[in-house]
Amino acid sequence: MKPARTKTPRKLLVKKGSQTSLKDPVGVYCRVRPLSLPDQECCIEVINNTTVQLHTPEGYRLNRNGDYKETQYSFKQVFGIHTTQKELFDVVANPLVDDLIHGKNGLLFTYGVTGSGKTHTMTGSPGEGGLLPRCLDMIFNSIGSFQAKRYVFKSNDRNSMDIQCEVDALLERQKREAMPNPKTPSSKRQIDPEFADMINVQEFCKAEEVDEDSVYGVFVSYIEIYNNYIYDLLEEVPFDPIKPKWNSCSTPMRNTDFVPPQSKLLREDKNHNMYVAGCTEVEVKSTEEAFEVFWRGQKKRRIANTHLNRESSRSHSVFNIKLVQAPLDADGDNVLQEKEQITISQLSLVDLAGSERTNRTKAEGNRLREAGNINQSLMTLRTCMEVLRENQMYGTNKMVPYRDSKLTHLFKNYFDGEGKVRMIVCVNPKAEDYEESLQVMRFAEVTQEVEVARPVDKAICGLTPGRRYRNQARGGPVGDEPLVTEVVLQSFPPLPSCELLDINDEQTLPRLIEALEKRHYLRQMMIEEFHKQSITFKALLQEFDSAVLNKENYIQGKLNEKEKVITGQKLEIERLEKKNKTLEYKIEILEKTTTIYEEDKRTLQQELETQNQKLQRQFSDKRRLEARLQGMVTETTMKWEKECERRVAAKQLEMQNKLWVKDEKLKQLKAIVTEPKAEKPERPSRERDREKVTQRAVSPSPVPNAPPIRLRHRRSRSAGDRWVDHKPASNVQTETVMQPHVPHAITVSVANEKALAKCEKYMLTHQELASDGEIETKLIKGDVFKTRGGGQSVQFTDIETLKQESPTGRKRRSPTAAPAPPDGTESEWTDVETRVGCSVAVEMRAGSQLGPGYQHHAQPKRKKP
């Protein structure tokens, strides 16, 4: 018992999953109509039974490469110009009618441009019945002998059916037949010759495996969707709504006989199926009656003459065939009076209005408004298909805009899985319809990618099959075949006449007794034979039971083996699923790691790009600065060259003037010396002045053996404290006049803790080579502090700079050079510019780069002009 309990839910789960996963794509077929004229240009070619090819006709825009564009489109099946209506019906509509008889819904609609043969495909023409009359013929051929009597099924306004008993149905029939103008067509009427050739189908077609223990009823309805309004074409009205009287303002004239048609509303029943509320449903019993109802509504359909088609449909027509099926009761006599056991299936045949361009149809006024509404409803249908395809392909959950059009809103249940959907794309191969045909092909390509859930089989009831024929065998002969009881009675000898005409008649009763005894003997013989046959039959039944039991045991053993195999496979599947989950988890981790690495890579690339850009900017700034400095150097060089030239010229002019003055003086002196005069006493002061002038005029010369200059020591400004004089061994001894001298100092070459512990001040003598090539000495001073750990730290507070400059590089000597005086005295310089050009002011301020917290400013003094 335990395996059986565990096996049942597993089977249910698998079955449920299989049903939900079964989906069928929308079946899209293509039919190519023949050309009207043999010399017309053709733009559509049938490649094979599933592919058509569109050629760009002459005069249309070429492709980018300059060649004519050729596009191929695939369908479930393509029907060429030689396809008959029977071949089209067998492939497209026959499976839908078979599903209808077995309780499943179906939707078949024709789509195409105006004049592509949609109405011909659906309705047909004299001698060539279309899909609609052939569907009706197949339905009544299949259920002809199993139809319920009229008015046993009665439709209501809730998109369902009620069951009436035989008595109520008879009263309803008598009531309807008593009406002067019965709505229901009668099978006794003569067929209208206008459509007699359309329903005269020569080929007999019938569905297989029809449920013989049920009764059937067929109801038809016919509606049209005009300007996005729904109208009932079978509704009885006292006027012709197709051709009303209109005034010049395009409004109906006020007439007591004119009543505008009432549009119908869409509603949803308890099973969430859409239906037209208040729509007329007519029960029909034959193909002729059904097609007569259709033809009566077809005359009310809105058609008009356009530039493209003489009789162009201006509305979408929907012909619904509703098949009602109810089981017989257990005795097989009457219909089971249970409304829950009724099965209703529906086949909708839709003839869509043709898509058209107003610039080709030359439509105006009402025709233009009709064309706009037709194109709008077809565009909504296309949008719904595209959204359905996107939701199924990409897993999105976008809302399908069914409510934007009455056409799509009415058939939304079919696309939600309430039945099969088939579409026939009708195309006209003439070149004038190339662009419209191209749009139709694209829509068909989108539609056949939409998948619709497969409908589930509906179980009718659990009664024993064969009830109908058992009831016929019980109640009377079936056709002309005699019953078994009649055969048995005919085998008995006939009874003699039992009429007694005379009281002394002694022959009649003995003959009757003898006949009865023979019958009794035959009866006993038949009873014994029956017992023997029953015993034999029981033995056969026992043998059959034992064989069945053995077969069951064998099957049970096979089932157990299969169950073990299935269990092993399920365990393997579970193991693979676990492994798959582990691999998925690893893949997820690797994906996350890859994402992190990619983000790091992008971040590093961004940083690298930023650094590269920064380096490029710095390099650009450096080049601009170099160019600027080069320009400044060039400008300064030119400026100083001009200044030097100006000064040289001025100095030459000055020297020439001095020479001229000296020449004049020499001439005067010569004149005085050569002129004999009396001697006059000289003034000593002038002679001394003359000697001084002479001495100043002589340019000094470098004295190689000059006496040594006494060095003067510069006293430090903080001489009161004890210092650590840190002079590294690499320092060079300078011979400047100003020398640092710190009394009470401990001189060290390397700073050590012992020396710092004895002093309060610290001075470091640092030397470096200046930009002019001279040695620059810096005295870095600081205070010594004791730390908490017992050591010493130095905080630098001041920097003094000693700098030596040689003015020889910028000094000019007098043109008259004189030897150095022998007494070793200093010579006097005659160049005033040289004397004042050696002064340099040095000031130490906080923030210098020469030490912690200090800044050096060296400003040369301005030269006097």
Side-chain angles (χ1 to χ4, degrees):
M1 296 301 292
K2 290 184 179 179
R5 291 178 182 176
T6 56
K7 179 174 64 177
T8 303
R10 287 202 298 267
K11 287 188 177 180
L12 289 175
L13 289 175
V14 172
K15 184 177 181 181
K16 183 177 179 181
S18 62
Q19 289 179 355
T20 55
S21 61
L22 292 177
K23 288 187 177 181
D24 296 325
V26 176
V28 182
Y29 303 85
C30 179
R31 186 179 191 183
V32 183
R33 64 161 291 175
L35 292 172
S36 302
L37 300 175
D39 57 346
Q40 280 184 323
E41 184 183 358
C42 180
C43 66
I44 298 178
E45 178 185 358
V46 179
I47 303 299
N48 50 39
N49 59 349
T50 59
T51 308
V52 296
Q53 181 170 316
L54 269 69
H55 305 277
T56 305
E58 296 289 341
Y60 279 79
R61 184 174 56 187
L62 299 180
N63 197 13
R64 294 180 180 178
N65 299 329
D67 300 330
Y68 287 99
K69 187 176 181 180
E70 296 180 353
T71 310
Q72 291 187 357
Y73 294 93
S74 299
F75 297 90
K76 193 170 185 179
Q77 189 166 344
V78 177
F79 301 95
I81 59 177
H82 302 293
T83 302
T84 62
Q85 300 279 45
K86 175 67 168 56
E87 295 173 354
L88 182 66
F89 170 78
D90 291 340
V91 176
V92 180
N94 191 313
L96 294 179
V97 177
D98 190 74
D99 289 343
L100 175 72
I101 296 174
H102 291 88
K104 299 177 184 179
N105 300 328
L107 172 63
L108 173 62
F109 60 95
T110 56
Y111 181 82
V113 300
T114 300
S116 59
K118 300 183 300 299
T119 305
H120 172 75
T121 300
M122 187 63 69
T123 307
S125 59
E128 294 183 0
L131 299 179
L132 191 147
R134 293 178 183 274
C135 290
L136 294 172
D137 188 68
M138 180 177 175
I139 291 172
F140 288 107
N141 289 338
S142 303
I143 65 169
S145 59
F146 307 131
Q147 292 190 70
K149 294 182 179 181
R150 200 182 297 270
Y151 303 118
V152 171
F153 298 109
K154 188 176 181 180
S155 63
N156 53 31
D157 294 335
R158 298 180 299 276
N159 198 28
S160 60
M161 288 288 171
D162 297 329
I163 303 178
Q164 296 187 128
C165 61
E166 293 287 344
V167 178
D168 294 337
L170 179 61
L171 293 176
E172 185 76 18
R173 287 195 299 273
Q174 293 176 355
K175 180 181 177 181
R176 295 296 180 93
E177 290 175 358
M179 295 178 63
N181 295 322
K183 293 182 181 180
T184 304
S186 175
S187 59
K188 298 179 181 180
R189 293 185 182 181
Q190 190 176 3
I191 301 176
D192 191 348
E194 188 176 3
F195 60 84
D197 293 339
M198 293 186 184
I199 62 175
N200 187 14
V201 181
Q202 299 296 332
E203 300 85 0
F204 182 82
C205 189
K206 181 180 178 181
E208 298 179 358
E209 298 180 0
V210 180
D211 187 7
E212 299 174 350
D213 295 321
S214 299
V215 293
Y216 300 87
V218 180
F219 293 81
V220 296
S221 60
Y222 197 18
I223 63 172
E224 72 169 351
I225 302 175
Y226 175 72
N227 288 339
N228 208 25
Y229 289 98
I230 301 175
Y231 297 99
D232 186 4
L233 295 177
L234 302 181
E235 186 177 14
E236 296 293 336
V237 290
F239 71 102
D240 187 5
I242 311 302
K243 301 176 181 178
K245 297 179 181 179
W246 301 87
N247 56 18
S248 59
C249 300
S250 299
T251 57
M253 296 178 62
R254 297 184 179 274
N255 191 350
T256 56
D257 296 336
F258 180 78
V259 180
Q262 295 294 324
S263 63
K264 303 299 180 180
L265 299 177
L266 286 178
R267 290 183 180 175
E268 193 175 45
D269 61 6
K270 61 180 181 180
N271 297 323
H272 305 289
N273 295 323
M274 303 305 301
Y275 71 98
V276 180
C279 180
T280 303
E281 292 183 344
V282 182
E283 185 178 8
V284 291
K285 294 297 180 181
S286 65
T287 305
E288 292 78 10
E289 292 182 26
F291 202 81
E292 182 183 355
V293 173
F294 165 75
W295 198 255
R296 190 175 69 211
Q298 184 73 3
K299 293 180 179 180
K300 297 181 182 181
R301 189 180 176 189
R302 289 172 171 84
I303 60 174
N305 184 8
T306 64
H307 186 70
L308 297 179
N309 194 358
R310 185 172 59 85
E311 294 183 357
S312 176
S313 302
R314 313 309 298 167
S315 62
H316 309 298
S317 67
V318 182
F319 187 76
N320 292 319
I321 304 173
K322 186 176 291 186
L323 183 66
V324 185
Q325 179 180 359
L328 295 173
D329 55 9
D331 295 332
D333 296 331
N334 301 314
V335 182
L336 188 64
Q337 298 292 318
E338 293 182 8
K339 190 176 179 181
E340 294 78 9
Q341 296 295 334
I342 297 177
T343 301
I344 301 175
S345 55
Q346 179 173 303
L347 175 61
S348 299
L349 304 176
V350 185
D351 183 12
L352 297 177
S355 60
E356 57 189 20
R357 294 191 179 184
T358 56
N359 57 354
R360 295 188 60 208
T361 57
K362 310 298 182 184
E364 297 178 355
N366 294 331
R367 301 287 86 80
L368 182 62
R369 184 169 62 254
E370 292 168 358
N373 290 321
I374 291 171
N375 294 333
Q376 181 63 32
S377 61
L378 294 177
M379 183 60 67
T380 304
L381 178 62
R382 179 176 298 183
T383 303
C384 293
M385 293 295 180
E386 291 176 352
V387 175
L388 282 171
R389 184 188 65 165
E390 184 178 354
N391 289 341
Q392 293 173 3
M393 292 181 65
Y394 303 107
T396 58
N397 194 18
K398 291 185 178 180
M399 185 184 68
V400 183
Y402 291 120
R403 294 180 178 268
D404 291 352
S405 173
K406 294 293 178 60
L407 178 66
T408 55
H409 195 194
L410 178 61
F411 298 115
K412 67 179 290 291
N413 304 107
Y414 289 96
F415 297 104
D416 291 340
E418 291 296 330
K420 291 184 179 180
V421 182
R422 297 289 183 268
M423 182 177 73
I424 301 176
V425 177
C426 299
V427 292
N428 194 339
K430 64 179 182 179
E432 290 80 3
D433 292 345
Y434 170 74
E435 294 185 358
E436 289 83 355
S437 299
L438 190 62
Q439 297 298 326
V440 169
M441 293 295 180
R442 290 174 180 172
F443 171 66
E445 189 176 22
V446 173
T447 304
Q448 63 186 349
E449 293 180 359
V450 177
E451 293 183 348
V452 179
R454 185 178 300 177
V456 183
D457 296 334
K458 301 177 182 178
I460 298 177
C461 63
L463 297 176
T464 306
R467 302 185 299 278
R468 182 187 294 271
Y469 288 111
R470 282 202 304 273
N471 178 50
Q472 292 177 356
R474 246 188 345 263
V478 180
D480 297 333
E481 296 180 1
L483 296 178
V484 178
T485 56
E486 293 182 357
V487 175
V488 173
L489 290 176
Q490 289 177 1
S491 63
F492 286 159
L495 292 176
S497 177
C498 299
E499 186 177 1
L500 294 176
L501 300 177
D502 190 2
I503 192 171
N504 297 318
D505 189 0
E506 296 180 355
Q507 295 180 359
T508 303
L509 290 177
R511 283 197 302 269
L512 179 60
I513 292 172
E514 184 181 0
L516 291 176
E517 286 178 353
K518 288 182 179 180
R519 289 200 170 198
H520 180 69
Y521 176 75
L522 291 175
R523 183 174 179 272
Q524 291 295 330
M525 294 288 292
M526 292 178 64
I527 290 174
E528 291 177 359
E529 184 68 22
F530 176 75
H531 284 306
K532 291 179 181 179
Q533 291 182 359
S534 63
I535 292 171
T536 305
F537 185 70
K538 286 181 180 178
L540 292 175
L541 284 179
Q542 289 178 357
E543 292 178 0
F544 181 74
D545 288 340
S546 61
V548 169
L549 184 60
N550 294 332
K551 194 71 173 178
E552 287 180 354
N553 294 332
Y554 175 75
I555 293 174
Q556 188 65 31
K558 290 290 184 181
L559 288 177
N560 292 333
E561 293 178 0
K562 295 293 184 183
E563 187 69 24
K564 292 180 180 179
V565 174
I566 292 172
T567 304
Q569 291 179 353
K570 287 183 178 179
L571 293 175
E572 181 67 18
I573 290 172
E574 291 178 357
R575 186 185 66 81
L576 293 176
E577 286 180 352
K578 291 181 180 179
K579 185 177 180 181
N580 189 19
K581 289 182 180 179
T582 305
L583 293 176
E584 288 179 353
Y585 179 71
K586 291 181 179 179
I587 290 172
E588 185 178 0
I589 293 175
L590 291 175
E591 288 178 352
K592 290 182 179 179
T593 307
T594 305
T595 305
I596 294 173
Y597 286 160
E598 287 179 353
E599 291 179 356
D600 294 342
K601 180 181 177 182
R602 285 195 297 269
T603 304
L604 293 174
Q605 286 180 350
Q606 292 177 358
E607 291 180 358
L608 181 61
E609 291 177 358
T610 305
Q611 294 295 332
N612 289 333
Q613 293 176 0
K614 185 176 179 181
L615 289 175
Q616 291 292 337
R617 288 195 300 269
Q618 291 179 355
F619 184 69
S620 300
D621 295 341
K622 181 179 179 181
R623 285 188 296 179
R624 286 196 299 269
L625 184 60
E626 288 178 354
R628 183 179 176 184
L629 291 176
Q630 187 67 26
M632 293 176 62
V633 169
T634 305
E635 183 181 358
T636 306
T637 303
M638 294 176 63
K639 179 179 177 181
W640 281 108
E641 286 179 355
K642 292 180 181 179
E643 182 67 21
C644 291
E645 291 177 356
R646 185 185 62 79
R647 291 185 179 182
V648 168
K651 183 60 67 175
Q652 289 179 355
L653 181 60
E654 181 183 357
M655 297 302 295
Q656 289 177 0
N657 291 334
K658 289 182 178 182
L659 290 175
W660 181 76
V661 172
K662 289 182 178 181
D663 290 340
E664 289 297 326
K665 288 182 178 181
L666 289 174
K667 290 179 181 179
Q668 293 177 4
L669 181 59
K670 184 178 180 180
I672 293 172
V673 172
T674 55
E675 183 180 359
K677 291 183 179 180
E679 294 182 358
K680 293 180 180 181
E682 292 181 356
R683 294 192 303 176
S685 60
R686 291 186 178 181
E687 292 178 357
R688 285 194 300 269
D689 292 338
R690 193 179 299 113
E691 291 176 357
K692 289 182 179 180
V693 171
T694 305
Q695 292 177 357
R696 291 176 60 89
V698 178
S699 298
S701 60
V703 181
N705 297 323
I709 302 174
R710 184 175 179 273
L711 297 179
R712 299 179 60 187
H713 294 280
R714 179 176 179 271
R715 183 176 180 81
S716 174
R717 62 181 72 175
S718 301
D721 299 326
R722 189 172 178 84
W723 288 77
V724 174
D725 189 3
H726 182 189
K727 293 182 179 181
S730 60
N731 285 358
V732 180
Q733 185 68 27
T734 59
E735 297 180 356
T736 57
V737 175
M738 305 296 293
Q739 289 288 337
H741 176 70
V742 181
H744 308 290
I746 300 175
T747 303
V748 296
S749 60
V750 178
N752 51 39
E753 185 180 356
K754 182 177 181 181
L756 291 174
K758 298 179 181 179
C759 303
E760 295 82 10
K761 296 292 183 176
Y762 174 82
M763 182 177 67
L764 171 64
T765 304
H766 173 69
Q767 291 182 347
E768 63 182 7
L769 193 65
S771 59
D772 54 357
E774 300 293 340
I775 295 177
E776 183 179 22
T777 304
K778 294 180 181 179
L779 304 179
I780 304 174
K781 298 184 293 184
D783 298 331
V784 180
F785 296 95
K786 292 184 179 181
T787 61
R788 294 182 179 179
Q792 288 80 23
S793 65
V794 179
Q795 182 178 3
F796 295 101
T797 58
D798 192 11
I799 297 177
E800 293 184 5
T801 303
L802 302 178
K803 186 175 181 182
Q804 181 180 4
E805 292 185 359
S806 176
T808 57
R810 295 179 298 172
K811 185 171 60 175
R812 289 192 185 91
R813 299 182 181 274
S814 171
T816 57
D823 56 357
T825 59
E826 294 182 356
S827 302
E828 295 184 0
W829 301 98
T830 58
D831 194 349
V832 179
E833 182 183 358
T834 303
R835 290 198 303 270
V836 299
C838 300
S839 300
V840 177
V842 179
E843 181 181 1
M844 307 309 300
R845 297 184 181 179
S848 175
Q849 296 179 355
L850 300 177
Y854 295 95
Q855 184 178 1
H856 169 260
H857 293 276
Q859 298 178 352
K861 294 183 179 180
R862 296 180 60 87
K863 299 179 181 180
K864 295 181 180 180

